[in-house]
Amino acid sequence: MIDAMQVADRFTLSRAWWMASELVRRHPYLRVSRVVDDEQNPLLIVHDDHEGLRVQFDLPAWIRYMSGDELVTITWAEAFGEANHLAVVERIENEAGLGIADPGAPSVPRSLVYRIIACALALSVDDRYTWQAVPACVRYEDPDASDWEFFEAFPTGVAVATQYLERIAERAALGVDFVFHQPVWTLLRDVEPVALLDIDGFAHTRRGRIELLPFYRRNHRRLAPTVVGLLGDRLM
């Protein structure tokens, strides 16, 4: 059997994003976050708004989640060994208590953003460049510490960061109790920001802002042509 640690990071990253995006597509109240653990390993986390439910994708080693009082671990060797690519997703749904999914559920803006990230990583898995998706952080407690280098790389980037900062300030002024999760992702090719993807359903590229659902429909609801249309020669 292949040891879990022998699976190259680019494959686990691509598969983790696919499974995460599929979970959100089938359960649209979920969202995706990325953190780095104490050993500087990236963790992709699928969770609900208040993080009562968490499915953690540790990119070097495993997938983990709670099933009742039991911590379940699925190694990447197990995940890649499944003949049915949906088997792990369905197992997580059943064991983590997500309930019955509608596999034909249409994409909503947030799930489409995650699916586009997953598809971009899959299309570039054998590229000579290293591709990844990281949050473009909006730091409402210290706006100057936001990731302005990512936002300033695109004509509409600063506007989207400012929009979220204003939205957070409005909620704070009303005393609304909420948990803040980063709303914008950066697609990186090596260290080059290729696009910003905003979970409200917009891509921000060097051509400006693109509303994703209409763009996806114009590409006959097919992800690969949608991603190629967005990223152009960056995928070549």
Side-chain angles (χ1 to χ4, degrees):
M1 177 181 289
I2 298 173
D3 185 83
M5 301 301 290
Q6 293 179 337
V7 181
D9 288 351
R10 69 186 189 277
F11 295 114
T12 57
L13 177 65
S14 174
R15 183 61 61 91
W17 265 105
W18 181 83
M19 287 191 284
S21 67
E22 187 66 13
L23 284 168
V24 178
R25 185 182 73 82
R26 293 156 69 98
H27 306 274
Y29 63 91
L30 297 175
R31 60 178 65 233
V32 180
S33 294
R34 181 185 186 274
V35 299
V36 177
D37 68 14
D38 293 340
E39 297 178 355
Q40 299 305 302
N41 293 317
L43 296 177
L44 203 63
I45 303 174
V46 176
H47 56 89
D48 57 16
D49 278 345
H50 292 278
E51 300 193 22
L53 180 145
R54 290 167 63 96
V55 180
Q56 295 189 179
F57 298 87
D58 179 311
L59 299 183
W62 40 249
I63 305 162
R64 278 186 178 163
Y65 52 91
M66 295 301 297
S67 179
D69 295 329
E70 178 186 357
L71 178 63
V72 178
T73 299
I74 302 173
T75 68
W76 285 112
E78 291 177 273
F80 280 98
E82 288 285 357
N84 177 358
H85 67 295
L86 276 173
V88 176
V89 171
E90 292 170 344
R91 178 179 169 185
I92 293 168
E93 287 176 333
N94 292 333
E95 295 181 347
L98 286 169
I100 298 173
D102 176 3
S107 286
V108 298
R110 184 166 66 210
S111 67
L112 181 58
V113 164
Y114 299 149
R115 293 178 70 211
I116 284 171
I117 292 172
C119 184
L121 295 176
L123 290 174
S124 59
V125 73
D126 288 322
D127 201 326
R128 65 183 184 275
Y129 300 100
T130 297
W131 286 71
Q132 60 179 317
V134 300
C137 291
V138 178
R139 304 191 187 280
Y140 62 99
E141 72 285 358
D142 184 6
D144 290 342
S146 298
D147 289 335
W148 293 109
E149 70 276 17
F150 291 153
F151 294 109
E152 290 170 355
F154 305 97
T156 55
V158 171
V160 73
T162 302
Q163 166 196 313
Y164 278 110
L165 287 169
E166 290 173 350
R167 190 182 299 182
I168 296 160
E170 289 170 3
R171 297 187 71 171
L174 292 171
V176 176
D177 183 24
F178 71 102
V179 178
F180 179 72
H181 299 102
Q182 293 297 336
V184 185
W185 292 82
T186 310
L187 267 177
L188 293 175
R189 188 182 71 159
D190 285 347
V191 297
E192 176 197 3
V194 171
L196 295 175
L197 293 158
D198 164 9
I199 63 171
D200 276 350
F202 297 93
H204 303 266
T205 72
R206 286 171 175 78
R207 290 173 290 162
R209 189 180 81 157
I210 301 166
E211 188 174 1
L212 289 172
L213 274 173
F215 192 78
Y216 176 59
R217 293 183 187 117
R218 288 198 296 274
N219 282 281
H220 310 288
R221 301 179 182 272
R222 296 174 61 202
L223 279 174
T226 299
V227 170
V228 171
L230 289 171
L231 302 183
D233 61 2
R234 290 295 187 275
L235 280 169
M236 304 301 178

